């Protein structure tokens, strides 16, 4: 049987000290080491033995003795780390702030700063600038693109489309429709060299263009299945033919809700007349410049990355054959894309971007 630890008087902790210690324990931004030391002092103040405190907090008895002694000697200051040996810090907080502020400015002879140009401008070393940029997640060499929709019905359209994703109507089918136009049949000017150990697949940078085709696709939101049709041209005539194909393949007892963009071929008089003759079809348009709201674009990305980007086709017929084969393989094991963002979350994010842009006009 283990012997109980020696009886020691409880630590004397004032109400002010206890409030500070409890604050360090609760605060999420407190360093874990300081929070643990605060727990040790608070447990000792309750009269628990050193062995009991070490067992309750999952630490060693020596650790408990150390921080108990440090608190007895110097109070709250004793819980901080001792100054570390070594060369004193050379970069001050003012130096760090100067680099950060200057990074946000544009240099006179360039569009953005490099570590070398910033080091020359601030008189600091290149490695110091690099460390500061990494610490504050600054990357002047990187940029991203964006485009905000100017559609006056942007809010209404976002709520309409997202509502179909998150709460689709009963006895209806929701289809995301779009066209991937100008798909090029490309043949490399020289044979592709296959991958070998240590060397990736290699291809010539130039190519021979054999022609183009257009893929009309309708992604079923619920199941991930895709209805596709290939045409050499991209007109209202071809879009009307695709609508007829959808009408034949979708069960007659279901309403059809189509999510599509504002391309002019979707709104011609011939298409409107066809829709009047087929009242079970309902069109829902995405806002202008908001193709990201259409889930079929995500499927087009899969097709591009896995089949088209590195494909080699000597004719349009070969390209179309490959696309049909890939489409059939996809429908054998379809994978739906799950929409997770609500309309309010999307609109809040767009509003945040607008607030960051001065004179945006939104």
């Amino acid at each position: 049987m283990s012997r109980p630890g020696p009886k020691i008087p409880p630590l004397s902790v004032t109400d002010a000290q206890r409030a500070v210690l409890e604050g360090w324990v609760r605060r999420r931004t407190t360093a874990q080491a300081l929070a643990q030391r605060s727990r040790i002092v608070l447990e000792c103040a309750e009269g628990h033995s050193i062995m009991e405190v070490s067992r309750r907090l999952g630490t060693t008895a020596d650790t408990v003795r150390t921080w108990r002694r440090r608190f007895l000697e110097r109070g709250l200051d004793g819980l901080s780390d001792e100054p570390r040996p070594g060369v004193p810090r050379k970069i001050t907080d003012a130096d760090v702030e100067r680099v950060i502020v200057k990074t946000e400015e544009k240099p006179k002879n360039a569009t953005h700063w490099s570590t070398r140009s910033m080091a020359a401008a601030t008189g600091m070393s290149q490695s110091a600038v690099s460390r500061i940029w990494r610490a504050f997640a600054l990357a002047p060499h990187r940029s991203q693109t964006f485009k905000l929709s100017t559609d006056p019905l942007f809010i209404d359209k976002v709520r309409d489309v997202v509502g179909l994703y998150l709460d689709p109507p009963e006895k209806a089918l929701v289809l995301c429709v779009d066209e991937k136009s100008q798909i090029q049949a490309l043949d490399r000017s020289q044979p592709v060299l296959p991958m070998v150990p240590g060397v990736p697949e290699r291809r010539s940078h130039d190519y021979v263009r054999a022609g183009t085709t257009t893929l009309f696709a309708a992604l079923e939101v619920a199941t991930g299945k895709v209805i596709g049709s290939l045409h050499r041209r991209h007109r209202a005539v071809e879009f009307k033919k695709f609508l007829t194909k959808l009408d034949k393949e979708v069960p007659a007892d279901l309403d059809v809700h189509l999510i599509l963009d504002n391309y002019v071929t979707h709104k011609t008089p011939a298409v409107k007349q066809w829709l009047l003759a087929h009242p079970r079809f309902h069109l829902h348009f995405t806002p202008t410049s908001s193709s990201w709201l259409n889930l079929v674009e995500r499927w087009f990305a899969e097709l591009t990355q896995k089949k088209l980007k590195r494909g080699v086709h000597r004719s349009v017929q070969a390209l179309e054959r490959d696309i049909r084969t890939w489409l059939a393989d996809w429908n054998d094991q379809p994978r739906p894309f799950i929409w997770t963002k609500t309309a309010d979350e999307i609109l809040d994010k767009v509003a945040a971007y607008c607030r960051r842009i001065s004179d945006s006009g939104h």
Side-chain angles (χ1 to χ4, degrees):
M1 296 179 60
S2 59
R3 296 181 179 178
K7 293 288 185 179
I8 57 175
L11 282 182
S12 177
V13 178
T14 65
D15 292 340
Q17 289 175 328
R18 182 180 296 275
V20 174
L21 292 170
E22 291 176 347
W24 285 345
V25 171
R26 290 193 305 266
R27 193 179 304 123
R28 294 182 179 181
T29 56
T30 302
Q32 289 300 311
L34 181 57
Q36 181 74 338
R37 296 165 193 173
S38 301
R39 294 188 190 98
I40 290 173
V41 173
L42 289 172
E43 291 286 340
C44 291
E46 295 296 328
H48 300 302
S49 67
I50 290 177
M51 296 303 296
E52 187 176 357
V53 172
S54 66
R55 179 181 56 80
R56 290 165 65 95
L57 299 181
T59 186
T60 65
D62 288 339
T63 301
V64 176
R65 291 191 187 95
T66 298
W67 296 112
R68 187 181 187 281
R69 185 184 69 253
R70 290 271 294 269
F71 182 81
L72 283 171
E73 295 172 353
R74 290 186 286 168
L76 295 175
D77 293 338
L79 301 184
S80 301
D81 290 323
E82 297 283 359
R84 297 182 180 273
V87 179
R89 178 184 175 191
K90 296 181 179 179
I91 301 176
T92 65
D93 291 342
D95 294 330
V96 174
E97 182 180 3
R98 184 160 52 92
V99 171
I100 294 174
V101 172
K102 200 166 188 63
T103 303
E104 297 174 351
E105 302 171 356
K106 184 175 291 188
K108 294 181 179 179
N109 58 348
T111 58
H112 59 278
W113 293 98
S114 67
T115 52
R116 288 183 175 84
S117 60
M118 179 58 71
T122 58
M124 302 175 64
S125 67
Q126 184 180 347
S127 60
V129 172
S130 181
R131 289 196 301 273
I132 294 172
W133 281 357
R134 284 198 303 270
F136 290 89
L138 295 172
H141 63 288
R142 297 180 59 189
S143 66
Q144 295 179 343
T145 59
F146 76 97
K147 184 175 183 179
L148 293 175
S149 174
T150 57
D151 196 320
L153 299 177
F154 177 80
I155 295 176
D156 295 335
K157 290 181 178 180
V158 168
R159 294 192 182 280
D160 180 33
V161 173
V162 175
L164 288 175
Y165 290 152
L166 300 181
D167 188 19
E170 297 182 357
K171 296 182 180 181
L173 204 64
V174 179
L175 298 176
C176 296
V177 176
D178 202 1
E179 305 89 11
K180 187 172 180 60
S181 59
Q182 298 295 312
I183 305 175
Q184 300 186 78
L186 302 179
D187 182 22
R188 298 293 163 177
S189 60
Q190 297 177 12
V192 176
L193 301 179
M195 177 185 63
V196 296
V199 180
E201 179 184 86
R202 290 176 292 176
R203 63 189 64 237
S204 60
H205 69 276
D206 54 343
Y207 55 84
V208 178
R209 177 174 164 176
T212 62
T213 189
T214 294
L215 172 63
F216 290 75
L219 171 71
E220 186 178 338
V221 174
T223 64
K225 290 185 177 180
V226 177
I227 301 173
S229 180
L230 288 163
H231 298 275
R232 299 296 174 86
R233 302 187 67 177
H234 183 198
R235 302 171 300 175
V237 175
E238 285 75 25
F239 180 65
K240 185 178 175 181
K241 291 180 180 178
F242 184 58
L243 290 176
T244 303
K245 179 181 177 69
L246 294 179
D247 187 39
K248 292 180 180 178
E249 298 199 14
V250 175
D253 60 334
L254 295 178
D255 282 350
V256 184
H257 293 265
L258 302 183
I259 298 173
L260 64 170
D261 61 24
N262 294 272
Y263 193 59
V264 65
T265 57
H266 302 159
K267 301 179 179 181
T268 61
V271 171
K272 292 180 179 179
Q273 186 176 0
W274 187 94
L275 292 172
L276 289 175
H278 299 78
R280 71 181 184 128
F281 279 77
H282 309 275
L283 270 56
H284 305 263
F285 293 101
T286 60
T288 306
S289 304
S290 300
S291 59
W292 48 268
L293 200 56
N294 198 331
L295 272 178
V296 75
E297 295 291 346
R298 183 63 187 85
W299 183 81
F300 281 150
E302 289 285 306
L303 171 64
T304 301
Q305 289 294 327
K306 296 182 178 180
K307 195 64 182 178
L308 302 179
K309 189 174 182 179
R310 291 169 58 174
V312 176
H313 304 95
R314 296 183 178 180
S315 65
V316 176
Q317 291 82 359
L319 171 63
E320 292 178 340
R321 187 165 52 250
D322 265 5
I323 293 176
R324 290 191 182 98
T325 301
W326 197 84
L327 178 58
D329 291 341
W330 174 275
N331 285 331
D332 285 340
Q333 293 181 329
R335 299 182 299 278
F337 300 101
I338 307 300
W339 191 273
T340 58
K341 291 286 187 180
T342 65
D344 288 338
E345 289 174 331
I346 295 172
L347 296 174
D348 288 344
K349 191 168 185 179
V350 173
Y353 272 108
C354 292
R355 287 193 294 268
R356 292 176 58 188
I357 303 172
S358 59
D359 302 324
S360 63
H362 292 77

